[in-house]
């Protein structure tokens, strides 16, 4: 009860506010008699008058719009009035027929134009028409290409020109152009067309509602040379045009000799980023040319400056040739090495992306299509839904069969949810049997668990893919850890021969060596082995003669032997009395190789080392010369701070995508790179002209260390933001409520004895916010029912 | 202190000692009492249920009089999911034992009430619930004691004087007192509770039924075929459950009288306030309807035949016909009589007078530790949701139990923690299977509490959403980093006794119009901070919760199956992403590999999967789909194409320059 009372109270407040708001924005429309009107006219001053018959039905919709136009027109020094024609003092403007009343534009006492009220359909049309008439000389209306060319030719070498296309006279875009022309009409020649054909002739293929071009004719000294043209890409609003012209007016390239962080030029104030081309005295001429080139490409999108390296005492990285600064106030200056104009342009464009999409949201009602799937997994799985899966090989479990199955046979259970051998492959749909899955502690899908008789189930924690899962199953068939009974067996184990029938080559075998007295260390090791069950084979040898192995491999007890049967060689790691956690870490890192081939599967394990990757991209198998060089350096422990590795593009084609990000294109192969992933994100490329030898590699690494090399790129540290906006249901829900209160506001206007009413039916002015709510609702429903663009899956609309 | 005082104190002390103590006392072994007992039993609590009769569910031994339950017993849904199937099983109580499902007790879609009695008996027996039968608690009082959990004990006194001392009192006595009418001549009215159910007794009679609920329609349905006619009289218009979406309103199964009324087959419905009426019995034993003030004007000692009737003045008065029988079917109300004043148990507001006044946590407003369960707790969602019925209150009872477990035993509200990548799938799973959310729509809601930096979340099921402001104290969970509330809702202006629920455009199919959905659909509210009590109280009219920072409606679905990838899941993901400011897409291991080497940060899916070596491999056919849908680049083809496209030549010549600039300029 209380809350509803409060709501009523609040609504009351809102209503009162609405009323006062309405009144305060109301500009009075002066109502004069013809005599009064003509006596107030001042020479040289423009005025718009609407003549209407007293007593006849006044065109209230038009009056509404006219009232709204008072303020904008006043800004241009144009007065607006309503002239009441009383019968006895009929003026010739007062029309002969009833109801056909017109508006007239005067300059002083001179009539410039008369407008039937239907051409002035809304406030935009009123302002556009009036300014268009007044600026008859400043804004040339062209209909043919010849007209346009003749204006262009007349301006060459003298002045610049602004040419625009609008869909029709009187549109909001037209008004924006006219308002711009009012301000800039004396500085630039304006030309306007409504002929779409003209636009096509110019070669612009995309024809929207309106376009605006800046023709740099002042620079064209030769009549045969056509004027350079820059197209404005933002929607045509007064503000956007203003910004655009301002940037056109600014010098193409500015030379600065101060801290780029402190520079403040017009572009920054207009919300555009800055690009600094870093120049040196020696290369000044070339740099200047580059800067101009870049500037032309980025005209209207960014400010381009030439920054002299020699005259600033800012610490500019040695090889940086470009600096970039976003328009945001606190944005730091980024120093980049971009060896190509295209790269600079694309960098600027990609960094402007966020702002651009925001503009889209404001300017364009449709926005991006939120219904297009951008989740690669969801989309591909959905597209794949009709392919029958060979499910007959797996046994489907239910609540009833689950327990009996997993207790009587070794089974691998896939827990999945449909919104997704000697060993029995089984599966259970958790969307159906949620109880079973909850009892097995499965909360995320898919999940895989291996159930072995008499043992607690093992959860699979590897890649969800055939290869890794198979390895998991195979490794789980070996008891864990393997209890080695004799020295001979231990040797066999280390050679990888013990499980020959299971694997052709186990990549690594781990053997823990303990003397019988080291029970606790052995226990820790066993526990660690269990935790890593399924990812690595561990064995334990703790017989009395363990010292034989200890001596042979120079491994003081307790120790761990790492055998890599594939490569040969046995490594010993002292275990001391490490806690279980530490043992797990050591064991987990055991399969890591000294110079691995990086694949999609192996990368995460190496990333955990948190070292920069020294990575050779190779198209096919690796050059043995480099391999040897790398391995030699590894043996000399020269590469300790790095993870040396290589990538075979034949096995890992996605490497091409990576190279493309680093270089912007595919570089010649092989390519040796140092990728500093974990601190800074710099990527350095080994000069491809040199051959990779131990010496050249070491030299290069030293140079890197000394900071003498420049990164080819710095990988982005951009956060992962939502790819697209969501439906804003909250404001959609607000809209009908707001309309209801707007309607109340209108009623309140009537109460305040304001003549016109917003609720009367009116002739098609496109101002949806002022339509009565019912109409809008109908419109909305129509839109949702009307067939959408092709490609959108059609959905049934109604229940039948 | 004199010797007398000492003696008195001793006597009191003795009395206190003879009182049996229980942590939890449950009044009534009906469905709600047994449900609470089952939960207390499973949690291993000290409890006792007190039941007046000799077996559970005694209400059902007599009611409904015509024995047909109107709660559905849907035995087949085509699904195996037990939780989902509960959505369409309105009779079972919650337990871990799959044998204790009602479908094993009756094959009828609208089962017989005696099956319910049998079911409740088995439920109490199988679970070994501690119920004291034949124990009539006649008085409940409060005994202040600072040692007690709530600062007082509840003292329950049995008929024979035996007393019990309870820390927490759970009242599940239902609505047991028939609502009576009081007007001149009301002594001639038969009650639903005792009227004959044999149609033979109504042959050739004119019957007037007072009331317009399910019991009235059930009574009419039984005799419709043998009477001359049945008239039904009540104050307000009939409310049909399929129009109001409230299961307590008149169900279609009993509405034969609506049919015969509208087809002018002599039966009929009338609206009038019963308080204005009077009943006059004439010499032939027939009943005439007249107006109360006629009696007041005249001398009440007049003979029956001399009392003025409305038709004397108004000869087409609708109820001018004489009735053979008048039956009252006005429902029941809560029995307040056993509760001592000290408990301050008062009746609800105008709309729900028949119920005791309680909070949204089902705790009495008058005394802490006193909870109302079951049908009697329906004031919380009267005419809205299903809290007055088994299929609704089984969940609210569980909610009360969870509150108690936290309050008295330090066990937080059950929750599961997941990485943020599981967010949309957790929501999708619940809205598709959860039965408590579905039945107790807009009363119980799931809550997702975000962890710091939104890397993980905690999922709490079926929390009484009106208590949201007190969530932290009630559940023992913290909500410092924002939360989502998942609720099920009907469209705001869809339901009502006078609404046309079959209008042409009633269902919404387009995702962007989801907020206009009319039928029950999931709605997700996002709050950056836990709403305060103020926020809750001054929430917008018709809103179940305060205005959120963002809201999402999952578009209504004809099959109530919200698993469509583009229609349901994608918009949900976009909503969640924009609330959290992150990218929640899933990626194949290959994409994560690319990001790992070309971005300093990884999307959550790669961070929590691939980086932990739990990436998702794709297969050849999936990769091909990915390339076709342009979501995955074809890396193998990249080499060849880039050569002739030359989109990024390493050394730009003036030619490519001008070609490029052509694109941008005119």
């Amino acid at each position: 009860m209380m809350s509803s009372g409060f709501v009523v109270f609040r609504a009351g407040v809102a209503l009162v506010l609405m009323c006062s708001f309405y009144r305060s924005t109301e500009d009075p429309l002066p109502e004069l008699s013809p005599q009064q009107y003509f006596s107030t006219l001042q020479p040289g001053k423009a005025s718009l008058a609407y003549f209407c018959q007293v007593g006849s039905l006044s065109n209230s919709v038009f009056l509404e719009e006219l009232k709204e136009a008072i303020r904008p027109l006043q800004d241009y020094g144009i007065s607006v009035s309503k002239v009441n024609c009383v019968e006895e003092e009929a003026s010739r403007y007062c029309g002969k027929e009833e109801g056909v009343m017109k508006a007239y534009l005067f300059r002083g006492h001179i009539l410039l134009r008369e407008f039937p009220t239907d051409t002035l359909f809304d406030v935009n049309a009123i302002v556009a028409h009036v300014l268009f008439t007044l600026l008859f000389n400043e804004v040339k209306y062209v209909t043919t290409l010849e007209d346009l060319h003749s204006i262009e030719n007349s301006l060459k070498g003298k002045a610049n020109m602004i040419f625009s296309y609008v869909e029709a006279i009187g549109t909001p875009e037209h008004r924006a152009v006219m308002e711009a022309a009012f301000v800039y009409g004396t500085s630039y020649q304006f030309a306007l067309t409504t002929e779409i054909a003209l636009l096509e002739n110019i070669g612009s293929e995309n024809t929207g509602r309106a376009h605006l071009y800046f023709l740099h004719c002042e620079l064209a000294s030769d009549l045969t040379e056509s004027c350079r043209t820059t197209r404005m890409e933002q929607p045509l609003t007064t503000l956007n045009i203003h910004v655009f012209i301002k940037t056109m007016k600014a010098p193409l390239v500015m030379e600065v000799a101060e801290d780029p962080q402190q520079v403040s030029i017009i572009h920054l104030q207009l919300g555009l980023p800055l690009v600094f081309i870093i120049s040196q005295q020696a290369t000044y001429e070339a740099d200047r040319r580059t800067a101009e080139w870049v500037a032309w490409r980025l005209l209207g999108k960014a400010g381009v400056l030439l920054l002299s390296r020699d005259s600033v005492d800012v610490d500019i990285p040695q090889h940086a040739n470009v600096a970039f600064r976003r328009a945001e106030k606190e944005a730091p200056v980024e120093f980049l090495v971009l060896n190509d104009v295209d790269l600079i342009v694309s960098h600027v464009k990609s960094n402007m992306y966020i702002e651009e999409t925001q503009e889209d949201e404001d300017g364009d009602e449709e926005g991006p299509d939120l219904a297009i799937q951008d989740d690669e997994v969801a989309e591909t799985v959905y597209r794949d839904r009709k392919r029958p899966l060979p499910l007959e090989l797996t046994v489907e479990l239910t609540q009833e069969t689950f327990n009996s199955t997993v207790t009587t046979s070794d089974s691998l259970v896939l827990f999945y949810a449909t919104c997704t051998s000697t060993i029995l492959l089984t599966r259970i749909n958790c969307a159906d049997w949620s109880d079973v899955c909850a009892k097995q502690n499965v909360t995320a899908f898919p999940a895989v668990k291996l159930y072995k008789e008499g043992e607690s189930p093992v959860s699979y924690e590897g890649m969800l893919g055939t290869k890794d899962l198979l390895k998991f199953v195979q490794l789980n068939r070996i008891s864990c850890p393997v209890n080695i009974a004799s020295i001979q067996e231990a040797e066999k184990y280390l050679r990888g021969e013990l499980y020959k029938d299971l694997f052709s080559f186990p990549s690594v075998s781990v053997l823990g060596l303990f003397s019988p007295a080291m029970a606790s260390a052995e226990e820790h090791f066993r526990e660690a082995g269990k935790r890593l069950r399924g990812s690595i084979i561990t064995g334990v040898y703790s017989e009395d003669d363990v010292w034989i192995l200890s001596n042979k491999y120079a491994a003081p007890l307790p120790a761990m032997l790492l055998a890599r049967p594939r490569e040969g060689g046995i490594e010993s790691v002292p275990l001391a009395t490490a806690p279980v956690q530490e043992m797990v870490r050591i064991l987990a890192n055991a399969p890591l190789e000294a110079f691995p081939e990086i694949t999609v599967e192996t990368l995460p394990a190496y990333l955990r080392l948190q070292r920069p990757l020294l990575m050779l991209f190779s198209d096919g198998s690796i050059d043995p010369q480099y391999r040897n060089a790398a391995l030699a350096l590894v043996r000399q422990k020269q590469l300790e701070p790095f993870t040396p590795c290589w990538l075979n593009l034949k096995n890992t084609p996605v490497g091409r995508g990576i190279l493309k990000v680093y270089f912007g294109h595919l570089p010649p192969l092989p390519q040796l790179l140092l990728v500093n992933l974990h601190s800074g994100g710099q990527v350095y490329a080994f000069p491809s002209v040199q051959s990779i030898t131990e010496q050249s590699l070491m030299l290069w690494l030293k140079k890197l260390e000394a900071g003498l090399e420049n990164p080819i790129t710095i990988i982005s540290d951009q956060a992962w933001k939502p790819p697209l906006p969501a439906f804003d249901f909250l404001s959609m829900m607000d809209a009908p409520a707001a309309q209801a209160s707007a309607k109340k506001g209108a009623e309140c206007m009537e109460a305040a004895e304001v003549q016109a009413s917003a609720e009367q039916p009116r002739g098609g002015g496109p101002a949806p916010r002022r339509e009565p709510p019912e109409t809008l609702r109908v419109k909305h429903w129509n839109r949702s029912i009307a067939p959408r663009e092709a490609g959108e899956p059609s959905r049934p609309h109604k229940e039948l | 202190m004199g010797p007398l005082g000492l003696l008195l104190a001793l006597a009191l002390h003795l009395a206190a000692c003879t009182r049996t103590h229980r942590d939890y006392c449950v009044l009534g072994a009906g469905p709600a009492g047994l449900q609470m007992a089952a939960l207390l039993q499973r949690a291993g609590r000290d409890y006792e249920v007190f039941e007046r009769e000799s077996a559970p569910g005694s209400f059902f031994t007599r009611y409904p009089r015509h024995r047909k339950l109107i709660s559905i017993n849907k035995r087949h849904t085509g699904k195996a999911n037990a939780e989902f199937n509960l959505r369409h099983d309105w009779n079972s109580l919650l337990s871990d034992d799959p044998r204790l499902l009602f479908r094993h007790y009756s094959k009828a879609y609208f089962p017989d009430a005696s099956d319910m009695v049998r079911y409740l008996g088995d439920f109490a027996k199988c679970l070994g619930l501690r119920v004291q039968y034949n124990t009539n608690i006649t008085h409940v009082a409060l005994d202040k004691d600072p040692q007690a959990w709530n600062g007082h004990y509840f003292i329950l006194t049995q008929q024979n004087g035996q007393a019990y001392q309870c820390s927490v009192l759970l009242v599940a006595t239902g609505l047991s007192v028939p609502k009576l009418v009081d007007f001149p001549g009301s002594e001639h009215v038969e009650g639903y509770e005792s009227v004959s159910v044999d149609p033979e007794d109504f042959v050739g009679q004119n019957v007037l039924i007072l009331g317009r609920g399910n019991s009235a329609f059930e009574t009419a349905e039984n005799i419709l075929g043998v009477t001359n006619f049945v008239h039904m009289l009540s104050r307000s218009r009939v409310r049909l459950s399929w129009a109001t979406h409230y299961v307590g309103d008149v169900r279609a199964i009993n509405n034969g009288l609506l049919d015969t009324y509208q087809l002018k087959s002599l039966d009929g419905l009338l609206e009038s306030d019963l308080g204005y009426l009077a009943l006059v019995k004439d010499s032939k034993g027939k009943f005439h309807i007249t107006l109360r003030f006629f009696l007041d004007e005249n001398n009440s000692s007049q003979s029956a035949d001399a009392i003025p009737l409305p038709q004397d003045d108004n000869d087409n008065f609708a109820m001018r016909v004489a009735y053979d029988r008048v039956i009252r079917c006005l429902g029941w109300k809560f029995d307040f009589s056993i509760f001592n004043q000290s408990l301050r148990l008062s009746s609800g507001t105008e709309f729900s007078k028949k119920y005791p006044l309680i909070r949204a946590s089902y705790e009495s407003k008058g005394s802490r530790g006193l909870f109302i369960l079951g049908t009697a707790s329906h004031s919380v969602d009267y005419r809205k949701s299903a809290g007055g019925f088994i299929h609704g209150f089984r969940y609210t009872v569980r909610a009360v139990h969870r509150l108690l477990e936290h309050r008295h035993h330090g066990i937080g509200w059950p929750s599961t923690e997941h990485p943020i990548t599981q967010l949309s799938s957790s929501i999708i799973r619940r809205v598709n299977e959860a039965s408590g959310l579905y039945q107790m729509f807009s009363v119980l809601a799931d809550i997702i509490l975000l962890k710091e930096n939104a890397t993980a979340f905690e999922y709490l099921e079926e929390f009484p959403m009106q208590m949201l402001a007190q969530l932290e104290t009630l559940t023992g969970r913290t909500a410092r980093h924002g939360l989502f509330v998942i609720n099920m809702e009907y469209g705001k202006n869809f339901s009502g006794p006078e609404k046309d629920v079959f209008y042409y455009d009633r269902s919404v199919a387009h995702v962007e119009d989801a907020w206009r959905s009319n039928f029950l659909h999931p709605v997700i509210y996002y709050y950056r901070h836990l709403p305060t009590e103020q926020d809750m109280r001054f929430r917008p009219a018709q809103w179940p919760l305060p205005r959120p920072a963002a809201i999402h409606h999952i578009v209504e679905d004809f099959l109530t199956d919200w698993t469509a990838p583009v229609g349901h899941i994608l918009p949900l993901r976009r909503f969640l992403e924009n609330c959290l400011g992150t990218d929640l897409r899933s990626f194949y291991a290959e994409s994560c590999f690319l990001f790992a080497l070309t971005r300093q940060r990884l999307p959550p899916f790669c961070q929590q999967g691939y980086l932990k070596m739990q990436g998702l491999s794709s297969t050849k056919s999936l990769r091909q789909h990915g390339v076709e849908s342009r979501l995955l680049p074809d890396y193998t083809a990249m080499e060849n194409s880039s050569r002739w496209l030359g989109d990024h030549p390493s050394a730009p010549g003036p030619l490519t320059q001008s070609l490029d600039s052509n694109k941008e300029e005119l």
Side-chain angles (χ1 to χ4, degrees), chain A residues 202 213 293 297 349 370 372 374-376 380 431-432 464 600 662 715-717 720 724 734 780 784, chain B residues 81 505 510 513 547 573-574 578 585-586 588 591 597 600-601 610 614-615 617 625 657 664 666:
Chain A
I202 282 174
Y213 304 93
W293 207 313
R297 296 277 307 272
K349 284 189 178 167
L370 304 183
I372 289 178
D374 50 4
D375 183 310
E376 59 189 45
T380 51
D432 285 340
L464 287 162
V600 172
Y662 292 163
I715 61 182
S716 159
D717 71 339
W720 287 82
L724 284 174
D734 284 344
H780 189 90
S784 68
Chain B
N81 187 316
D505 270 332
H510 281 263
D513 295 327
R547 194 183 159 83
R573 196 194 80 216
R574 295 211 191 288
N578 282 280
R585 283 179 292 178
S586 38
Y588 285 114
S591 302
L597 289 172
Q600 294 196 42
R601 305 184 208 194
Y610 179 70
Q614 294 174 23
S617 304
H625 287 306
Q657 201 69 59
E664 270 153 44
L666 206 105

Side-chain angles (χ1 to χ4, degrees), chain B residues 26 28-43 47-49 56 93-95 100 119-133:
Chain B
V26 183
L34 294 181
Q35 182 65 74
M36 181 50 95
L39 295 166
L40 289 168
Q41 172 100 354
R42 192 173 61 181
Y47 78 96
E48 187 94 53
V49 184
L93 295 180
L94 306 175
S95 76
L100 289 174
Y119 172 74
L120 294 176
D122 277 7
F123 189 84
K125 203 159 58 188
C126 289
L127 298 177
L129 305 180
R130 288 199 284 279
V131 187
Q132 272 200 39
Y133 296 104

Side-chain angles (χ1 to χ4, degrees), chain B residues 314-573:
Chain B
N314 188 3
D315 59 7
N316 64 346
F317 177 62
M319 299 202 306
R320 59 188 181 273
V321 69
Y323 294 98
D324 295 298
R325 307 180 88 132
V326 181
I327 308 166
R328 143 179 74 69
C329 305
L330 296 171
W332 288 265
K333 56 186 182 184
F334 184 73
D335 184 1
F336 287 93
S337 67
I338 63 168
F339 298 97
N340 184 288
Q341 289 262 307
S342 59
L343 277 94
R344 292 189 290 166
L345 194 62
S346 55
S347 72
T349 53
E350 196 55 40
F351 261 120
S352 51
K353 253 187 185 152
K354 52 183 177 177
Y355 301 109
L357 192 64
I358 51 174
R359 296 172 201 279
S361 59
Y362 300 91
E363 189 162 20
S364 152
K365 285 196 175 164
S367 35
R368 191 175 153 92
L370 170 58
F371 289 87
I372 307 290
L373 310 178
T375 307
S377 69
H378 198 23
S379 62
V380 170
D381 60 335
Y382 182 56
R383 288 195 171 161
K384 290 194 186 81
S385 203
F389 314 93
I390 296 177
H391 65 285
F393 65 61
R394 59 190 179 199
Y395 305 104
T396 62
V397 167
R398 184 161 67 181
V400 169
H401 179 250
R402 286 170 175 167
L403 296 176
L404 290 170
E405 285 291 298
H406 174 246
R407 186 188 281 181
H408 299 304
H409 310 286
I411 295 171
W413 192 280
S415 75
T416 48
E417 195 173 327
H418 307 271
I420 205 73
T421 45
Q422 298 278 335
L423 188 57
S424 62
S425 64
S426 296
I427 296 174
I428 287 296
R429 185 175 77 85
R430 283 288 292 170
V431 301
N432 278 299
E433 71 171 31
S435 148
L437 272 189
Y438 192 79
Q439 305 290 19
M440 289 307 296
F441 59 88
S442 301
V443 178
L444 300 181
D446 282 3
I447 314 279
I448 287 174
L449 302 177
L450 293 166
K451 297 280 169 182
E452 205 171 350
N453 299 328
T455 51
F457 64 92
E458 257 185 309
Y459 201 107
L460 278 65
E461 295 178 359
E462 295 165 21
F463 180 80
M465 59 195 276
Q466 292 312 316
M467 300 302 290
L468 193 60
Q470 288 92 333
L471 178 111
E472 294 193 329
T473 48
L474 290 179
T475 62
R477 311 277 169 204
T478 49
R480 250 175 295 150
H481 307 288
L483 65 153
F484 291 99
V485 178
I486 294 119
N487 187 31
M488 304 283 285
E489 289 174 19
Y490 279 98
K492 282 197 173 30
N493 288 309
F494 186 48
S495 314
E498 73 291 356
K499 292 284 166 67
D500 172 14
V501 287
F502 296 104
Y503 74 95
Y504 186 62
D505 270 332
R506 66 188 171 279
S507 79
V508 171
H510 281 263
V511 172
E512 64 266 36
D513 295 327
W515 65 279
R516 294 177 189 273
S517 293
N518 278 321
F519 288 94
L520 196 63
H521 63 282
V523 183
I524 297 135
Y525 295 76
Y526 171 63
Y527 296 97
R528 293 198 182 87
H529 310 281
L530 197 61
T532 62
E533 225 161 314
Q534 283 280 312
D535 297 338
M536 291 300 288
R537 194 170 312 153
F538 298 119
R539 63 183 189 264
Q542 285 206 342
W543 281 57
L545 287 172
R547 194 183 159 83
I551 196 167
H552 182 69
H553 290 253
I554 302 183
V555 69
E556 60 184 318
D557 190 79
F558 184 54
L559 305 174
T560 63
D561 175 8
W562 289 281
T563 55
V566 172
H568 302 140
I569 300 173
L570 179 64
L572 173 66
R573 196 194 80 216

Side-chain angles (χ1 to χ4, degrees), chain A residues 105 107 112-113 128-142 151 178 181-182 185 189-192:
Chain A
L105 181 69
R107 181 179 276 144
L112 293 181
R113 242 194 101 177
H129 273 286
V130 168
L131 290 179
F132 197 28
T133 311
L134 290 175
L135 298 172
F136 180 74
N137 288 318
E138 284 86 347
V139 181
K140 293 251 173 15
Y141 183 76
V142 292
I151 299 172
M178 293 320 302
F182 192 90
Q189 177 64 54
F190 278 71
L192 181 85

Side-chain angles (χ1 to χ4, degrees), chain B residues 647-664:
Chain B
D647 48 357
H648 280 289
S650 44
L655 182 64
T656 49
Q657 201 69 59
S658 59
L659 277 177
D660 264 14
S661 47
N662 255 355
K663 247 189 277 170
E664 270 153 44

Side-chain angles (χ1 to χ4, degrees), chain A residues 206-219:
Chain A
N206 102 14
T207 49
R209 280 173 64 88
H211 294 243
L212 188 135
Y213 304 93
F214 192 96
L215 281 73
H216 305 266
C217 294
E218 203 176 352
L219 297 173

Side-chain angles (χ1 to χ4, degrees), chain A residues 499-554:
Chain A
Y499 300 104
K500 252 190 170 159
D501 50 333
L502 276 179
F503 315 96
S504 39
F505 286 109
S507 63
V508 64
S509 309
V510 179
L511 184 63
L513 301 179
F514 306 93
S515 75
M518 296 167 176
S520 84
E522 184 183 335
E523 202 176 304
H524 285 178
F525 184 79
R526 282 176 183 275
E527 177 57 33
K530 271 197 191 122
R531 287 200 201 167
L532 291 169
R533 162 160 215 177
S535 58
I536 184 168
I537 315 175
T538 48
V540 171
Y541 188 65
S542 55
E543 300 299 319
D544 291 329
D545 55 357
V546 69
W547 58 269
I548 300 177
L549 288 172
S550 166
N551 285 350
K552 178 170 176 192
Y553 297 108

